[in-house]
Amino acid sequence: MSALSAKKGILERLADGPVIGDGSYVVTLEKRGYVKAGPFTPEAAIEHPDAVKQLHKEFLRAGADVIQAFTFYATDGKLSITEGGKSYTSTDLNQAACDLARDVADSGNALVCGGVSPTPTYTDGKGKEVVQNEFKKQVDVFVKNDVDFLLAEFFGFIEETEWAIETLKVTGKPVAATMRIGPVGDLAGVSPGDCAVRMAKAGADIVGLNCSFDYQTELKAMKMMKQALDAAGLKPFLMTQPLGYHVPESENCRVGYYDLPEYPFAMEPRLLTRWDVRKYAREAYNMGIRYIGGCCGFEPYHIREISEELSKERGFRPPGKDKNEDWGAGMKESTITKHTPTRCNRAYWENVKPAMGRAEGPLLSKIVKYDGQA
């Protein structure tokens, strides 16, 4: 049996211990000049494959156990209304993305995930059959390429999430599902607990949240989901991939950080430090969450810190450990000043309170108000 064929699947790995997901794609590739802000669609898988592949490699080196194919918003319904309606089809993009992800994943011990996300055909009211046909076009490519598991992610409505799970489930592959909701529930007012139960009953093996909210808010919603699942006697694995930013103002917003005035081009002052990420990883693990990754704003070095924080539970450190001593221990070798070598341990970094560096800047922002706000 070859090393690749002997790889454990996602459910086996989760049963053994924590699985580290990857991080930000559309936001990171936009910053690097390969994705257009606004549409946030994945044409880069065809137009700039080396850029996508490089980001995959960085997540792998950071310790990610999963390489997610860059298929976000890659339905024909979404592609037809972005960037002037480019000629790339869902099949074109999903195939290109699968090729890139598999090439990188097979260079390590990572799994390939094929994901579907919301499609405008749902909000346009075109009905279940049309929506599921959009998902099926992607799923057909994932099955052809034998991805290791499937993911329905970034859904705002539980109904559309259920339709996606149903479409993925018929493949016989493991299915994960995450919604972009906080403690106030989905865009139709369904509570996080009810959403979790409905995802599990629809067939999701892994249930959780991604994007739109910071880790503090997401973990509050995950606690609500876990309590509801336990009460219903349902035991899917739990998954979380929050924003890489501090956005506490958004906790009681239904749509999340998109209603902050800084979104999307002035979020950098809110970026999590690597030590914030360690705290997130530990809190998530202690809650019983076993699939722990990140979404928009989570750079490869953030994923590396999840890997480092959970290295004892995993039994190994990430591949990039040769350039990353734990808790900044490499600073002992610093010659910049006499005091920088003292910044080499957990006791120092856990007590640093980062400043914004903008004397005129507010600590928090006011949520933007508008007609039709969810």
Side-chain angles (χ1 to χ4, degrees):
M1 182 179 291
S2 71
L4 293 181
S5 63
K7 279 186 182 180
K8 287 186 177 180
I10 185 63
L11 301 182
E12 295 173 285
R13 294 184 187 210
L14 288 167
D16 287 345
V19 167
I20 310 303
D22 54 10
S24 169
Y25 280 97
V26 291
V27 167
T28 296
L29 288 169
E30 188 278 328
K31 289 178 179 179
R32 295 182 181 188
Y34 301 107
V35 164
K36 183 177 180 180
F40 290 113
T41 42
E43 290 86 353
I46 291 176
E47 296 173 345
H48 303 286
D50 289 345
V52 177
K53 190 172 183 179
Q54 176 61 31
L55 187 52
H56 285 325
K57 288 180 177 179
E58 291 175 29
F59 284 129
L60 185 69
R61 179 170 167 78
D65 296 306
V66 174
I67 299 298
Q68 191 170 329
F70 187 38
T71 60
F72 182 74
Y73 275 165
T75 62
D76 283 330
K78 179 69 174 179
L79 295 170
S80 66
I81 60 173
T82 62
E83 295 209 41
K86 285 193 172 179
S87 60
Y88 306 134
T89 67
S90 173
T91 299
D92 294 334
L93 273 175
N94 284 276
Q95 182 59 57
C98 284
D99 290 341
L100 295 170
R102 177 58 73 189
D103 190 34
V104 174
D106 284 355
S107 70
N109 189 38
L111 302 176
V112 174
C113 171
V116 302
S117 47
T119 175
T121 55
Y122 178 80
T123 49
D124 289 345
K126 295 185 178 179
K128 183 175 183 178
E129 183 178 357
V130 175
V131 171
Q132 289 189 320
N133 280 338
E134 290 282 278
F135 297 143
K136 189 176 183 301
K137 293 175 187 177
Q138 292 186 267
V139 171
D140 287 346
V141 179
F142 299 150
V143 171
K144 175 185 174 183
N145 286 272
D146 196 25
V147 301
D148 297 294
F149 70 101
L150 302 171
L151 169 66
E153 69 166 346
F154 195 69
F155 285 89
F157 293 94
I158 183 57
E159 182 180 60
E160 188 182 13
T161 314
E162 290 172 312
W163 294 357
I165 294 168
E166 290 173 11
T167 308
L168 305 184
K169 198 66 181 175
V170 298
T171 66
K173 291 183 176 292
V175 173
T178 55
M179 297 185 70
R180 65 176 195 269
I181 64 174
V184 298
D186 85 342
L187 298 179
V190 181
S191 72
D194 287 345
C195 286
V197 169
R198 287 173 64 172
M199 283 192 278
K201 288 186 175 179
D205 304 293
I206 308 164
V207 167
L209 300 173
N210 83 296
C211 208
S212 298
F213 298 90
D214 58 27
Y215 82 84
Q216 295 95 330
T217 297
E218 195 160 288
L219 292 183
K220 288 178 183 178
M222 286 297 299
K223 183 177 180 180
M224 299 166 71
M225 296 173 80
K226 186 176 187 299
Q227 289 173 340
L229 290 164
D230 288 345
L234 299 168
K235 300 294 182 183
F237 289 106
L238 301 179
M239 172 178 180
T240 182
Q241 293 193 282
L243 291 174
Y245 307 105
H246 291 288
V247 291
E249 308 97 309
S250 300
E251 180 174 335
N252 295 313
C253 295
R254 206 168 290 282
V255 300
Y257 84 130
Y258 314 104
D259 283 349
L260 289 174
E262 298 98 319
Y263 173 81
F265 298 129
M267 294 298 299
E268 286 81 0
R270 296 171 175 267
L271 193 65
L272 299 183
T273 69
R274 63 193 71 198
W275 317 122
D276 292 327
V277 172
R278 286 222 174 198
K279 185 177 180 181
Y280 150 60
R282 181 53 56 189
E283 290 183 8
Y285 182 82
N286 288 345
M287 278 182 59
I289 298 168
R290 290 297 176 264
Y291 191 123
I292 303 172
C295 201
C296 299
F298 260 80
E299 298 294 329
Y301 73 92
H302 289 124
I303 298 303
R304 184 183 66 202
E305 292 307 321
I306 300 177
S307 303
E308 293 283 21
E309 178 64 26
L310 299 176
S311 60
K312 289 184 179 179
E313 288 80 2
R314 302 175 77 207
F316 56 91
R317 294 182 63 207
K321 63 183 182 295
D322 59 315
K323 298 296 183 182
N324 185 58
E325 291 202 37
D326 208 21
W327 285 98
M331 286 300 294
K332 292 192 297 289
E333 302 174 37
S334 175
T335 59
I336 296 174
T337 69
K338 289 183 178 180
H339 60 81
T340 52
T342 67
R343 302 174 182 180
C344 62
N345 54 61
R346 179 173 184 166
Y348 178 84
W349 289 111
E350 281 193 327
N351 288 288
V352 168
K353 305 296 181 186
M356 290 181 63
R358 289 177 171 80
E360 77 285 359
L363 180 62
L364 299 174
S365 295
K366 292 182 179 179
I367 296 295
V368 176
K369 301 295 183 182
Y370 53 91
D371 291 340
Q373 190 169 21

